[in-house]
Each structure stands twice: as C-alpha cells, then as structure tokens.
C-alpha cells in the first residue's frame, strides 16, 4: 500500500515562493509517474505538473510554465513542486498523485492510483 503525504503549503504573498513536498511510503517514487494537481473552489481539477517514471518525460501546464518545477529526490522518496512567482490565481488545494502502472497520457488524472490528502496554498495580493 502506498501512502502520499503533502507538506509545505500555506500563505504567501503574490510574487513569493513555496515548495510543496510529497513524501511517499510503501513504494519508491522513482518507479512511479508522479503528478501534482490543484483544485480551487468552484473550479475543475487542473493538472499542474507531472513526471514519468524513469525520466520518461515531464509536463507543465501552460498556467504554471516557467514558474513551477516538479522534481524528484529518490534518496528521500519525495517529489517536490517548487512554486515561484505565485499569482492570485494560484490558490487551491494541491494534491500529489502517483501511478505505478503507467499512464496512457500524463495528464489523465483518473489513471493515477494513489492520492495525497491535499494541502492548501493561499496567495495574498
């Protein structure tokens, strides 16, 4: 059984930075396609960033391109989402997800098997 636990959320001023962490237990993150999604009140869930297992490719949503970076620390079995230049439209609950069986498309959130509980990110203007 895999458990994902997010940390690092909170309140930050517009233009500031936060780093979210997703710590996994049960299986290695290096063997999974890992992703971050976010959902704001009244909006559909948006896939923000993802990385295929074994370095097979990455994805960044247009809305965060150049500002957010997803990377893995295999030694810590943790995936990070570095968020810079945060904007008023970035606040949401951010979720970490993992797929160990592979995904046909990296943004198909329904193909991810494991999800964290979510963590709130708030941006003040």
């Amino acid at each position: 059984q895999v458990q994902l636990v997010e940390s690092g959320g909170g309140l930050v001023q517009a233009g500031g930075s936060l780093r979210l962490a997703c710590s996994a237990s049960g299986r290695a993150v290096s063997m999974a396609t890992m992703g971050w999604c976010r959902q704001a009140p009244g909006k559909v869930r948006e896939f923000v960033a993802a990385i295929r297992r074994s370095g097979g490719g990455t994805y960044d949503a247009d809305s965060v391109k150049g500002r957010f970076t997803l990377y893995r620390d295999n030694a810590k079995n943790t995936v990070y989402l570095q968020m810079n230049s945060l904007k008023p439209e970035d606040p949401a609950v951010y979720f970490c997800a993992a797929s160990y069986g592979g995904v046909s498309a990296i943004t198909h959130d329904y193909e991810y098997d494991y999800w964290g509980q979510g963590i709130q990110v708030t941006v003040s203007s």
Side-chain angles (χ1 to χ4, degrees), residues 7 13 48 52-53 55 59-60 91 94 102 106 119-120:
S7 61
Q13 283 190 325
V48 174
R52 285 191 180 276
R53 58 186 177 182
Y59 167 83
D60 297 303
Y94 283 70
I106 205 168
I119 193 162
Q120 181 70 48

Side-chain angles (χ1 to χ4, degrees), residues 48-91:
V48 174
I51 185 169
R52 285 191 180 276
R53 58 186 177 182
S54 304
T58 60
Y59 167 83
D60 297 303
D62 288 342
S63 57
V64 306
K65 203 176 294 288
R67 300 188 297 122
F68 290 10
T69 303
L70 184 156
Y71 61 98
R72 263 192 288 241
D73 185 334
N74 292 336
K76 294 183 178 180
N77 212 33
T78 298
V79 172
Y80 298 94
L81 184 68
Q82 178 67 45
M83 305 187 295
N84 299 328
S85 302
L86 282 159
K87 299 179 178 180
E89 56 263 37
D90 291 323

